Amino acid sequence: MIASFLARSTRSTTRVASTLSSPTSLLRFKSTGCYTKAKRIGFVGLGNMGLPMATNLFNGFKNEADFIIYDINQTTTSNFVKDHSAGNKDKVKVAKTPLEVAQEASVIVTMLPASPHVESVYFGKDGLLEALGPDHLVMDASTIDQSMATRVAKVLHGKGAKAIDAPVSGGTGGAQAGTLTFMVGSNTVADFELAKRYLDKMGKNIVHCGTNGNGQVAKICNNMLLGISMIATSETMNLGVRMGMDPKLLAGILNTSSGRCWSSEVYNPCPGVQENSAATRGYTGGFGMPLMAKDMRLAVNAAVETKSTVLLGALAQQLYNQMAANKDFEQLDFSAAYKWLSENAK
Amino acid sequence: MIASFLARSTRSTTRVASTLSSPTSLLRFKSTGCYTKAKRIGFVGLGNMGLPMATNLFNGFKNEADFIIYDINQTTTSNFVKDHSAGNKDKVKVAKTPLEVAQEASVIVTMLPASPHVESVYFGKDGLLEALGPDHLVMDASTIDQSMATRVAKVLHGKGAKAIDAPVSGGTGGAQAGTLTFMVGSNTVADFELAKRYLDKMGKNIVHCGTNGNGQVAKICNNMLLGISMIATSETMNLGVRMGMDPKLLAGILNTSSGRCWSSEVYNPCPGVQENSAATRGYTGGFGMPLMAKDMRLAVNAAVETKSTVLLGALAQQLYNQMAANKDFEQLDFSAAYKWLSENAK
Amino acid sequence: MIASFLARSTRSTTRVASTLSSPTSLLRFKSTGCYTKAKRIGFVGLGNMGLPMATNLFNGFKNEADFIIYDINQTTTSNFVKDHSAGNKDKVKVAKTPLEVAQEASVIVTMLPASPHVESVYFGKDGLLEALGPDHLVMDASTIDQSMATRVAKVLHGKGAKAIDAPVSGGTGGAQAGTLTFMVGSNTVADFELAKRYLDKMGKNIVHCGTNGNGQVAKICNNMLLGISMIATSETMNLGVRMGMDPKLLAGILNTSSGRCWSSEVYNPCPGVQENSAATRGYTGGFGMPLMAKDMRLAVNAAVETKSTVLLGALAQQLYNQMAANKDFEQLDFSAAYKWLSENAK
Amino acid sequence: MIASFLARSTRSTTRVASTLSSPTSLLRFKSTGCYTKAKRIGFVGLGNMGLPMATNLFNGFKNEADFIIYDINQTTTSNFVKDHSAGNKDKVKVAKTPLEVAQEASVIVTMLPASPHVESVYFGKDGLLEALGPDHLVMDASTIDQSMATRVAKVLHGKGAKAIDAPVSGGTGGAQAGTLTFMVGSNTVADFELAKRYLDKMGKNIVHCGTNGNGQVAKICNNMLLGISMIATSETMNLGVRMGMDPKLLAGILNTSSGRCWSSEVYNPCPGVQENSAATRGYTGGFGMPLMAKDMRLAVNAAVETKSTVLLGALAQQLYNQMAANKDFEQLDFSAAYKWLSENAK
């Protein structure tokens, strides 16, 4: 399978054509008209994250594959076609349904907001599932709960398709720069390796986190720890400043001591401590409150389901929810927890 | 540094010589001799931290100075004398009171459990204060509240003495190895530089955190962030393990992602993740629950006093208090928060 | 009430008679006879709560109606038949599916553990929905989320059926004694009045909480406040006892002061304070940890969905989850929060 | 005061007369001119609470005793004299120091903001202690920590004086109306009875909570539970309203169910639910944020010292601190927690 898949889509057509040593895949291509299909990559979900990811994927593969895209926002899809299809009408197709994507493309990436969207795109009427089969490699980059991710994988495996979960970190900046981290859950190393070829065009670190669903576990765990750490760093910086310390000096000390964390070192929430932080540019851009609130919710739900206790996690979830529900904060980066703390006591 | 210190001694001498109106101090200098006095270092508080610190200080200065020590535990002091005074009865004296230390030594280090002990040693009957004057350099390495530290400094400065606060991090291991971090509050760089010469024998990083009291601010802030991060890391590792992930793999992912912190990278609370962590050796040694509970309390008190909000800090304080009050946990390293979480849901 | 109910049946019959375009329902009425049907009451879900509720409902209506019951546990249903059907084989039927209940009974009560069971019983294959129509009055006493309750009501209303949500409080004791409180969500007062006739046999207080779904809102809100208050009372009693006060004296003072709450007055979690409390009998019986954990989860989820902040609620949820996940506590009444607090610091 | 004190003296005298076994007390009255002294009542601390309390005490005893008052605010004391001393220059004296109060009055009430003020008034230079002796009955109505209260009692008992702690609840409204609750710590019932005669003029419920210091325990415990319940009620009302329920209806249901508490029944934080609540009048008047923040702090400190765990308590403390530090909330009644929650998510 792996051999045939590599033959099919990668180095690629050439090898298939020139090496008759892969009769099975040759047969398959013959019988299903797979040759055309192998040359088309599908992308479902061109939102803030999905659009730059799809663009990088397109740029990485445009010489060897055509594309088919689907999004409910037709302005987005027609703009994508306009930007990337010039002079070749067939280069990028716009599908009318997810099903059409699965009918045309053998390699598919989905990037959707939450579990209900994944449910609908995969299992709904005119969903991907109806056309998925042994020729497909499907990569879901959405951040969803583990149980949904394992269910997707199980159902797709049941159809013979290859399926991995591959949630990302790195935000819209990383999506644009192609430097995302992908946390991949895949039952087999082979599927992981197969997927990596595509993910490499959109990200810098492609990490195999274990079996299907574990990509979500890694993402959820990382973001819960990040979410707590950011509030903890905010409380600490605010406390230190109110006790009379210079924030840069305090950050410097924390960062060479046992209090240091990514939030204090790389993304300090106190304005002015770091030149390029979200905090210093008014908490614009970055990772928005609603996104962190959503990830914290996934974490707390997972904790309840696995009988894990997350006292700090549950409290942090509430705080992000509160900020995400406040019109002055919902548009801001999650590091505005510092702003929240320092302004509430005014 | 040495130059400036000698300069100071010289100036003192000069001043004493020119002010014959100070018969007491003259008497003191006559009887002990200023040169001799400059050659004696005092150490008050030889507990778990103080004893190895005093030992390192002794070893670093034994060729140029004698010592005088004070502790309420006389076994400790007589053992210290036994260990370090062989063949020279005057090499290490044992003081009967803190006052005696101040009468004999011009450079004094104190390492005490909490504010009330500092109050008593400095300001109580037969306390240091009674004999402190312009010749003295006093370094308090205790972890206490900022207001007490600034009060000590103010009173000592009023007597003309040099005073810094210099709380440490690094634990008993760091104290023994001489690799402590000292967070120094000092109104002047000159005093900091003067103190550094002595602190260097006991620590590796000597950080100037600003004015008097700021050593405490830095310590309290760092340890609050550390205390929260450790529980957050414990919640995260416990959640991930219960969701089915291998803890080493999870730690590896966190540590290359935005969730990383000192507690996940260097001191992971999940047994087996790191070979030399407290967790892996059964949470023995390390930084005990009561110590973290005490530092968290200082942080929460400081927050209340400065109108800072520390929601996660206050919750973490309660959790360390609870563990410190449990006979199965009070002796353990603070990273046993993981054990607490994972065993409570059994 | 009876009048209105009969009126309803009459109207239904009339309507059916005049619309011969509905041969299925006509057939149904022919075969079972509308009169007979109105005389049969259905009950789905005979668990710890449902069984005593069904028994009370049976005893209240046995002279005017027959019964049909459904539960996945066949021992339970055959025992119910044995206990209540003596000498009259048709008095209590056991249905093979929820659908059969809807086909035979016009008045139906459901009492199910959680939303997925409600989904399945109402909307699943062979579910109630398939046979529901204008003749039906359906009362769901399950505690589920508001959105599921409003969805059930909407779909049933779409079929012309009367539907109310009526979650209960009062526990198994109240269920047995017929003293439950029903919190009823009903779009119309008429439906509420209709339902009240049946609920009266199972409960003492039947409260109209507003439109469909509001029964769940009232239940969830009450139990969140109860859950927080119980932990708060436990913290307070534990603190007072450790500060040296007699617990009965302390409870007496709280209960005549502004600290009083149901948990301190009626259900004090400190053993010995009240003679008949769960606490005094070793926390046996009562309202179990998993049930409170479930209700707190509904509350926190509702908070997230409505952008409400529940800091104390989220923390309390975690604590009940933790106790529900601990084998020494999962079987105990939720007031064992006191035992948890007092024993953890041992 | 004097009234009950005289009663006691009378009774004593009678008893003394009949038993002759108590010559000392007889002697005492002779030698110290106790008669005169017994005719003067002292009051220290005429703040927002103390002033109306002193007024009620004056009105209750003006026919049988004179007064002496002390406060650092001289406008307050001279106004009190103006209001109550008309025509009799000696009726109300203003003391220059607490000592003077103790010298002139045998019955003394103190009402001070916090422990440091108690320390100063009782034990400072020119403090009460210098003149206290067996003739004195001293009642401290301040809310302070248990350890300070027991220390005061111990020292005063050492001087032969009678001393009780008697913190109050009921706020400025209760102070004005003379309907306060006094929670009295007194080692003996006799002292409690003696004190009760005076406290009766200022309050409605005078409760004996056990030994000295237990008045504080009762107060602290009650207010911690109150403080948590108020936030819990606010979270619950806010949640219910956002889920679509009418707040009056919701409150009505809670108040007949297991969620009910003083905060939901008597002092509902949602505006409009109760006609005369602080909430309905814009959170003006009542029990201010800084006062609740102070009491919660006493509770959390007591918890740390007694190794009690107060997770909800610590979180609530932070929330009151945060509101007390916010200029839009610091002046408001503590039930404005509802306003805080509902406005933060705007």
XYZ file of all heavy atoms in Angstrom, chain B residues 222-274:
389
model
N 9.100 34.391 41.360
C 9.587 33.177 40.695
C 8.933 31.932 41.280
O 8.462 31.051 40.562
C 11.108 33.068 40.849
C 11.650 31.857 40.104
O 11.699 31.827 38.876
N 12.011 30.819 40.858
N 8.875 31.878 42.589
C 8.356 30.658 43.200
C 6.847 30.519 43.053
O 6.340 29.405 42.980
C 8.793 30.568 44.665
C 10.227 30.053 44.759
O 10.967 30.106 43.768
N 10.617 29.556 45.913
N 6.141 31.641 42.966
C 4.717 31.513 42.675
C 4.519 30.920 41.285
O 3.736 29.982 41.104
C 3.982 32.858 42.771
C 2.475 32.675 42.569
S 1.510 34.193 42.731
C 1.620 34.838 41.054
N 5.259 31.445 40.332
C 5.114 30.943 38.957
C 5.537 29.471 38.886
O 4.878 28.647 38.245
C 5.941 31.811 37.992
C 5.818 31.514 36.509
C 4.364 31.363 36.059
C 6.509 32.584 35.679
N 6.607 29.166 39.583
C 7.066 27.773 39.647
C 6.006 26.873 40.274
O 5.702 25.791 39.764
C 8.358 27.703 40.472
C 8.846 26.316 40.873
C 9.176 25.469 39.642
C 10.067 26.424 41.786
N 5.439 27.339 41.372
C 4.453 26.520 42.084
C 3.214 26.257 41.239
O 2.683 25.136 41.231
N 2.759 27.275 40.528
C 1.603 27.076 39.647
C 1.975 26.146 38.495
O 1.245 25.213 38.168
C 1.095 28.426 39.089
C 0.660 29.363 40.225
C -0.065 28.201 38.129
C 0.316 30.777 39.758
N 3.140 26.413 37.896
C 3.560 25.617 36.740
C 3.685 24.136 37.087
O 3.372 23.272 36.278
C 4.912 26.112 36.217
O 4.805 27.423 35.733
N 4.156 23.872 38.300
C 4.334 22.463 38.669
C 2.984 21.752 38.762
O 2.847 20.608 38.300
C 5.079 22.367 40.007
C 5.351 20.946 40.448
S 6.231 19.959 39.189
C 7.920 20.494 39.469
N 2.000 22.419 39.338
C 0.683 21.782 39.400
C 0.084 21.695 37.998
O -0.512 20.682 37.620
C -0.252 22.551 40.359
C 0.287 22.441 41.793
C -1.677 21.984 40.298
C -0.527 23.198 42.817
N 0.279 22.743 37.208
C -0.236 22.728 35.836
C 0.402 21.593 35.039
O -0.274 20.889 34.283
C 0.030 24.072 35.164
N 1.704 21.411 35.203
C 2.383 20.323 34.503
C 1.865 18.971 34.993
O 1.669 18.037 34.211
C 3.906 20.427 34.711
O 4.348 21.709 34.283
C 4.645 19.355 33.935
N 1.627 18.886 36.288
C 1.105 17.633 36.843
C -0.285 17.331 36.293
O -0.587 16.196 35.914
C 1.052 17.729 38.377
O 2.352 17.898 38.900
N -1.137 18.351 36.251
C -2.475 18.146 35.689
C -2.385 17.699 34.233
O -3.114 16.805 33.792
C -3.298 19.449 35.765
C -3.702 19.843 37.182
C -4.639 21.049 37.215
O -4.895 21.650 36.158
O -5.107 21.396 38.316
N -1.473 18.331 33.503
C -1.335 18.036 32.076
C -0.793 16.635 31.835
O -1.315 15.883 31.004
C -0.405 19.084 31.420
O -0.957 20.384 31.635
C -0.267 18.832 29.936
N 0.261 16.272 32.555
C 0.843 14.940 32.374
C -0.166 13.866 32.783
O -0.311 12.843 32.115
C 2.128 14.810 33.215
C 3.290 15.670 32.750
S 3.900 15.292 31.066
C 4.387 13.571 31.233
N -0.876 14.108 33.861
C -1.878 13.147 34.327
C -3.003 13.003 33.303
O -3.450 11.890 33.001
C -2.437 13.629 35.674
C -3.398 12.641 36.296
O -3.137 11.440 36.352
N -4.534 13.130 36.755
N -3.431 14.136 32.760
C -4.484 14.098 31.745
C -4.026 13.317 30.518
O -4.733 12.427 30.030
C -4.884 15.528 31.347
C -5.887 15.655 30.197
C -7.215 14.980 30.530
C -6.119 17.132 29.854
N -2.838 13.645 30.045
C -2.323 12.983 28.843
C -2.169 11.477 29.031
O -2.551 10.690 28.167
N -1.657 11.088 30.176
C -1.466 9.657 30.449
C -2.814 8.944 30.487
O -2.995 7.862 29.927
C -0.695 9.463 31.769
C -0.768 8.009 32.233
C 0.755 9.898 31.592
N -3.800 9.571 31.134
C -5.125 8.954 31.197
C -5.824 8.935 29.835
O -6.730 8.140 29.612
C -5.998 9.697 32.217
C -5.658 9.327 33.648
C -6.366 10.206 34.641
N -5.951 9.856 35.989
C -6.633 9.053 36.791
N -7.770 8.531 36.409
N -6.170 8.765 37.996
N -5.397 9.844 28.956
C -5.955 9.827 27.601
C -5.208 8.832 26.713
O -5.535 8.699 25.541
C -5.900 11.231 26.997
C -6.900 12.196 27.617
S -6.762 13.873 26.924
C -7.814 13.729 25.466
N -4.197 8.196 27.276
C -3.557 7.117 26.550
C -2.185 7.404 25.986
O -1.631 6.597 25.250
N -1.601 8.533 26.319
C -0.287 8.842 25.754
C 0.842 8.353 26.642
O 0.753 8.369 27.862
C -0.135 10.351 25.539
C -0.516 10.744 24.129
S 0.062 12.395 23.722
C 1.646 12.015 22.939
N 1.904 7.988 26.006
C 3.126 7.658 26.716
C 3.688 8.940 27.349
O 3.829 9.954 26.663
C 4.140 7.074 25.724
C 5.478 6.831 26.372
O 5.621 5.835 27.099
O 6.388 7.673 26.177
N 3.995 8.895 28.655
C 4.416 10.152 29.321
C 5.710 10.744 28.768
O 5.835 11.967 28.675
C 4.566 9.751 30.789
C 4.554 8.259 30.823
C 3.858 7.782 29.591
N 6.658 9.882 28.386
C 7.916 10.425 27.825
C 7.649 11.126 26.501
O 8.199 12.188 26.220
C 8.941 9.306 27.610
C 9.739 8.957 28.843
C 10.952 8.118 28.457
C 11.773 7.763 29.685
N 12.992 7.018 29.356
N 6.808 10.502 25.695
C 6.469 11.093 24.400
C 5.747 12.424 24.608
O 6.065 13.436 23.968
C 5.583 10.114 23.620
C 5.146 10.529 22.215
C 6.344 10.828 21.328
C 4.287 9.422 21.576
N 4.812 12.417 25.547
C 4.076 13.655 25.825
C 5.013 14.755 26.310
O 4.963 15.896 25.831
C 2.984 13.395 26.866
C 2.176 14.626 27.305
C 1.544 15.339 26.116
C 1.104 14.233 28.311
N 5.883 14.398 27.249
C 6.834 15.397 27.763
C 7.699 15.932 26.634
O 7.970 17.137 26.544
C 7.682 14.791 28.876
N 8.114 15.030 25.768
C 8.950 15.443 24.637
C 8.239 16.459 23.750
O 8.843 17.442 23.298
N 6.959 16.222 23.507
C 6.202 17.147 22.657
C 5.995 18.490 23.349
O 6.208 19.553 22.763
C 4.848 16.518 22.270
C 5.100 15.334 21.332
C 3.926 17.543 21.619
C 3.914 14.430 21.162
N 5.595 18.432 24.616
C 5.420 19.680 25.366
C 6.702 20.503 25.339
O 6.674 21.725 25.155
C 5.054 19.391 26.822
C 3.725 18.678 27.091
C 3.600 18.359 28.577
C 2.544 19.517 26.623
N 7.817 19.808 25.517
C 9.080 20.512 25.692
C 9.630 21.119 24.413
O 10.589 21.880 24.439
C 10.106 19.599 26.356
C 9.715 19.308 27.790
O 8.952 20.062 28.388
N 10.207 18.210 28.340
N 9.030 20.770 23.284
C 9.402 21.440 22.032
C 8.256 22.329 21.557
O 8.253 22.775 20.416
C 9.713 20.401 20.929
O 8.592 19.510 20.821
C 10.953 19.603 21.283
N 7.273 22.531 22.450
C 6.111 23.337 22.067
C 5.901 24.475 23.058
O 6.697 24.686 23.964
C 4.861 22.457 21.997
O 5.083 21.357 21.140
N 4.788 25.125 22.886
C 4.501 26.308 23.687
C 4.059 25.988 25.118
O 3.909 26.890 25.933
C 3.422 27.146 22.990
O 2.328 26.314 22.635
N 3.864 24.717 25.420
C 3.497 24.356 26.783
C 4.692 24.188 27.699
O 4.548 24.081 28.910
N 5.857 24.225 27.132
C 7.038 23.894 27.926
C 7.283 24.876 29.061
O 7.026 26.074 28.956
C 8.269 23.824 27.034
C 8.776 25.179 26.575
C 10.070 25.007 25.769
N 10.363 26.172 24.976
C 10.851 27.321 25.470
N 11.110 27.415 26.762
N 11.064 28.355 24.669
N 7.783 24.345 30.166
C 8.207 25.167 31.295
C 9.268 24.399 32.051
O 9.524 23.226 31.764
C 7.016 25.508 32.200
S 6.163 24.069 32.861
N 9.891 25.065 32.983
C 10.964 24.414 33.759
C 10.460 23.114 34.366
O 11.172 22.105 34.374
C 11.442 25.395 34.835
C 12.617 24.929 35.628
C 13.938 25.112 35.328
C 12.579 24.215 36.875
N 14.723 24.552 36.323
C 13.921 24.004 37.273
C 11.555 23.738 37.691
C 14.258 23.333 38.460
C 11.874 23.063 38.859
C 13.216 22.864 39.241
N 9.232 23.132 34.852
C 8.680 21.936 35.495
C 8.489 20.790 34.519
O 8.543 19.621 34.914
C 7.330 22.262 36.152
O 7.497 23.203 37.186
N 8.246 21.085 33.264
C 8.084 19.989 32.300
C 9.424 19.544 31.722
O 9.633 18.378 31.441
C 7.130 20.405 31.166
O 7.702 21.422 30.366
N 10.340 20.503 31.594
C 11.611 20.211 30.929
C 12.686 19.637 31.851
O 13.422 18.734 31.487
C 12.192 21.503 30.328
C 11.515 21.980 29.075
C 12.216 23.223 28.543
O 11.876 24.341 28.975
O 13.118 23.082 27.720
N 12.774 20.235 33.039
C 13.926 19.953 33.900
C 13.532 19.106 35.097
O 14.345 18.387 35.667
C 14.533 21.285 34.392
C 15.683 21.052 35.350
C 14.969 22.130 33.210
N 12.286 19.175 35.460
C 11.890 18.629 36.763
C 10.534 17.948 36.620
O 9.652 18.134 37.451
C 11.789 19.810 37.740
C 12.101 19.522 39.180
C 13.416 19.463 39.631
C 11.077 19.319 40.108
C 13.694 19.220 40.966
C 11.360 19.083 41.449
C 12.675 19.034 41.867
O 12.957 18.802 43.195
N 10.375 17.186 35.543
C 9.046 16.636 35.226
C 8.499 15.792 36.371
O 9.161 14.885 36.868
C 9.110 15.813 33.940
C 7.737 15.625 33.348
O 6.927 14.894 33.890
N 7.460 16.318 32.240
N 7.277 16.099 36.792
C 6.724 15.457 37.991
C 6.227 14.030 37.770
O 5.838 13.363 38.736
C 5.541 16.374 38.350
C 5.108 16.961 37.045
C 6.380 17.133 36.257
N 6.235 13.573 36.539
C 5.767 12.211 36.256
C 6.958 11.257 36.353
O 7.948 11.412 35.647
C 5.154 12.174 34.857
S 4.560 10.547 34.389
N 6.845 10.252 37.235
C 7.978 9.331 37.430
C 8.389 8.665 36.124
O 7.538 8.257 35.335
C 7.422 8.298 38.410
C 6.277 8.955 39.095
C 5.683 9.889 38.071
N 9.678 8.565 35.921
C 10.184 7.854 34.769
C 10.462 8.717 33.557
O 11.179 8.298 32.648
N 9.922 9.902 33.552
C 10.134 10.757 32.384
C 11.583 11.231 32.312
O 12.176 11.272 31.238
C 9.162 11.957 32.387
C 9.589 13.014 31.384
C 7.747 11.472 32.091
N 12.131 11.585 33.467
C 13.538 11.990 33.499
C 14.296 11.134 34.502
O 13.794 10.847 35.583
C 13.651 13.468 33.897
C 13.314 14.397 32.742
C 12.787 15.722 33.212
O 12.613 15.947 34.412
N 12.514 16.599 32.272
